[in-house]
């Protein structure tokens, strides 16, 4: 009697899948073995490709990156001959000779990326990853798989639905009418002493109205959010732009920005600080979450939190490299030297410049982030021990949560998800620093012998409030 040695058919499918995985693994391993034909020019170990313009192993690649810039010329040969044999077995015995051989074999230290270059490369990788994800999601963005999503500048709006355009078309028409509106505020006019300012050319060009926009990303990250958040971010941008248009400080008769020279504290308060205050308050009035609050709560929020928000506005306007203050996207707005902040005090100036640099680095000089943070700062309760009783504290808390949640979501698509928490936390600490700077600014004004009557009424209420 013969024995049936056939394998039961119940596991046939599983066996085929296992055989397929083995063949795939074998194929991958064969490709890896092909790469092992490469030999490191330094230690003759198996190499995986080109690094710093030469074929190297991962060990020599990492060794060269760590030592080529920092330790070149500092290392000493252990044997004193400067001619040690460098091989897979001996490469860790003498760092000096290993580094010398790296240079002799043609590894180029100028190809080592700086931290800034690494961040830029990582950001490009993230951008490309998001673009690939968008191109695969044809349903969400209404594009065919064969087309690529458009990359639009930060200032341009995304193509929203017909309902969205109908909803906001009235606002757009009103904004156009404001060009000739009698309510448009020209804070300064040509009656000013012409010796106090001069036209400047070359600081801004047609493609970039403000040099502090150099680091601004040209990719519109808003389109990666859902419709509700995207519309809210777009309205924040539109409201801020409209607030600037409704409060214009121009040098009439000049096409280029004019650089104002201020020589007294009253000038910087009544000009630079006041135009920034007017634009920020108008920005708040155009924000529905602010308008729905009780009138007394609105007044107290502005009284106690406006100065902190103004320091984030300062981060949008100051080019940290040229130290020129200029409102972005304005054709002939006044410009100022950031050094004019010394009229408050040297301490206020120094800490303000450090604050501007820190905040611009945190958010990659993304102005939309700064606009959201300005709103969060305004809705902050408990920032001042002298705050009075609130009429509707829960409504203030809810309004701030709207923008706090929006900021988190935007940071999550703007930067890699593993950086969101860190950037969010650093912005919170920056908000605390802005509140401290606001208090120091008030103290510096109170310490100077300035006739309060010479200050604009609005600025008296902002700077002289207890």
């Amino acid at each position: 009697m013969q024995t049936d040695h056939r394998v039961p058919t119940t596991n046939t499918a599983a066996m085929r899948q296992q055989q397929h995985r083995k063949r795939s693994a074998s194929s991958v391993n064969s490709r890896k073995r092909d790469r092992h034909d490469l030999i490191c020019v330094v230690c003759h170990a198996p190499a995986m490709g080109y690094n710093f313009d030469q074929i190297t192993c991962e060990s020599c690649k990492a060794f060269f990156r760590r030592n080529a810039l920092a330790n070149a010329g500092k290392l000493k040969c252990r044997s004193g001959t400067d001619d040690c044999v460098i091989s897979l077995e001996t490469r860790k015995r003498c760092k000096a000779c290993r580094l010398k051989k790296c240079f002799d074999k043609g590894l180029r230290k100028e190809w080592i990326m700086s931290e800034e270059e690494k961040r830029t490369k990582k950001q490009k990788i993230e951008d490309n990853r998001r673009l690939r994800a968008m191109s695969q999601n044809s349903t969400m963005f209404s594009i065919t798989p064969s087309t690529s999503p458009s990359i639009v500048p930060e200032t341009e709006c995304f193509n929203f639905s017909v309902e969205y355009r109908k909803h906001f078309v009235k606002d757009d028409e009103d904004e156009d009418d404001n060009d000739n509106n009698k309510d448009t505020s020209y804070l300064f006019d040509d009656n000013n002493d012409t010796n106090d300012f001069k036209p400047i050319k070359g600081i801004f060009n047609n493609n970039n109205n403000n040099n502090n926009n150099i680091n601004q990303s040209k990719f519109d990250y808003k389109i990666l959010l859902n419709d509700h958040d995207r519309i809210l971010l777009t309205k924040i941008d539109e409201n801020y732009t409209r607030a600037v248009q409704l409060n214009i400080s121009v040098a009439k008769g000049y096409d280029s920005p004019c650089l104002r020279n201020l020589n007294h504290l009253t000038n910087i308060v009544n000009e630079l600080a006041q135009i920034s205050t007017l634009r920020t308050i108008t920005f708040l009035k155009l924000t529905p979450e602010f308008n729905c609050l009780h009138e007394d709560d609105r007044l107290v929020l502005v009284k106690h939190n406006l100065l902190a928000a103004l320091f984030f506005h300062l981060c949008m306007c100051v080019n940290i490299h040229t130290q020129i203050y200029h409102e972005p996207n304005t054709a002939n707005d006044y410009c100022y030297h950031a050094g004019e902040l010394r009229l408050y005090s040297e301490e206020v100036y120094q800490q303000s410049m450090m604050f501007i640099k820190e905040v611009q680095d945190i958010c990659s000089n993304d102005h939309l982030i700064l606009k959201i943070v300005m709103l969060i700062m305004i809705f902050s309760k408990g920032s001042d021990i002298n705050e009075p009783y609130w009429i509707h504290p829960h409504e203030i808390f809810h309004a701030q949560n709207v923008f706090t949640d929006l900021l988190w979501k935007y940071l999550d698509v703007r930067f890699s998800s593993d950086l969101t928490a860190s950037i969010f936390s650093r912005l919170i600490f920056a908000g605390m620093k802005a509140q401290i700077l606001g208090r120091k600014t008030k103290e510096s004004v109170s310490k100077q012998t300035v006739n309060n009557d010479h200050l604009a009424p609005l600025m008296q209420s902002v700077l002289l409030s207890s």
Side-chain angles (χ1 to χ4, degrees), residues 33 43 96 139 166 171 195 210 320 342 344 366 374 380 392 395 409 446 460:
R33 284 196 296 269
C43 69
T139 302
K166 286 181 179 178
D171 288 345
N195 292 327
N210 193 347
I320 197 65
R342 287 192 172 95
Y344 290 111
D366 188 325
M374 286 175 65
S380 296
H392 298 300
E395 292 183 5
K409 292 177 180 177
S446 63
Q460 290 183 32

Side-chain angles (χ1 to χ4, degrees), residues 319-363:
N319 184 314
I320 197 65
H321 303 293
T322 63
Q323 293 204 5
I324 294 294
Y325 175 101
H326 180 254
E327 181 71 50
N329 304 317
T330 54
N332 57 346
D333 218 28
Y334 277 138
C335 302
Y336 302 88
H337 287 291
E340 304 286 6
L341 293 171
R342 287 192 172 95
L343 294 171
Y344 290 111
S345 71
E346 182 65 25
E347 181 185 17
V348 169
Y349 165 72
Q350 294 293 345
Q351 293 192 12
S352 296
M353 298 310 295
M354 289 189 292
F355 176 79
I356 292 169
K357 185 179 187 308
E358 178 185 358
V359 172
Q360 290 181 355
D361 288 342
I362 291 174
C363 61

Side-chain angles (χ1 to χ4, degrees), residues 234-285:
T234 302
K235 285 303 293 180
I236 290 174
D237 257 342
E238 291 175 350
N239 290 341
Y240 181 84
T241 301
R242 191 176 180 190
V244 173
Q245 293 173 344
L246 290 174
N247 299 278
I248 302 173
S249 74
V250 297
K252 295 181 179 179
Y254 293 97
D255 295 328
S256 58
C258 292
L259 184 62
R260 285 278 291 169
N261 294 319
L262 307 176
N263 51 24
H264 196 270
L265 178 64
T266 55
N267 292 335
I268 191 172
V269 170
N270 292 338
E271 291 188 20
L272 178 57
Q274 184 172 203
I275 188 62
S276 181
T277 299
L278 287 171
R279 286 168 174 171
T280 303
I281 292 177
T282 305
F283 179 39
L284 295 175
K285 290 181 178 179

Side-chain angles (χ1 to χ4, degrees), residues 105 115 119 155 172 227 264 289 352 396 423 437:
K105 292 297 182 180
E115 291 301 319
R119 285 193 293 269
T155 54
D172 293 336
D227 288 341
H264 196 270
E289 289 79 4
S352 296
I396 300 172
I423 296 174
L437 276 171

Side-chain angles (χ1 to χ4, degrees), residues 189 226 245 271 316:
D189 56 32
N226 61 44
Q245 293 173 344
E271 291 188 20
M316 277 196 289

Side-chain angles (χ1 to χ4, degrees), residues 136-179:
Q136 294 171 0
N137 197 346
S138 57
T139 302
M140 180 181 295
F141 298 103
S142 301
I143 56 176
T144 63
S146 60
T147 60
S148 299
S150 58
I151 300 178
V152 296
E154 191 78 77
T155 54
E156 294 185 14
C157 296
F158 186 72
N159 246 343
F160 294 111
S161 61
V162 176
E163 290 76 18
Y164 169 76
R165 291 197 297 270
K166 286 181 179 178
H167 183 70
F168 290 119
V169 66
K170 187 178 185 302
D171 288 345
D172 293 336
E173 291 172 354
D174 292 343
E175 189 169 336
D176 292 336
D177 294 340
N178 284 325
D179 291 339

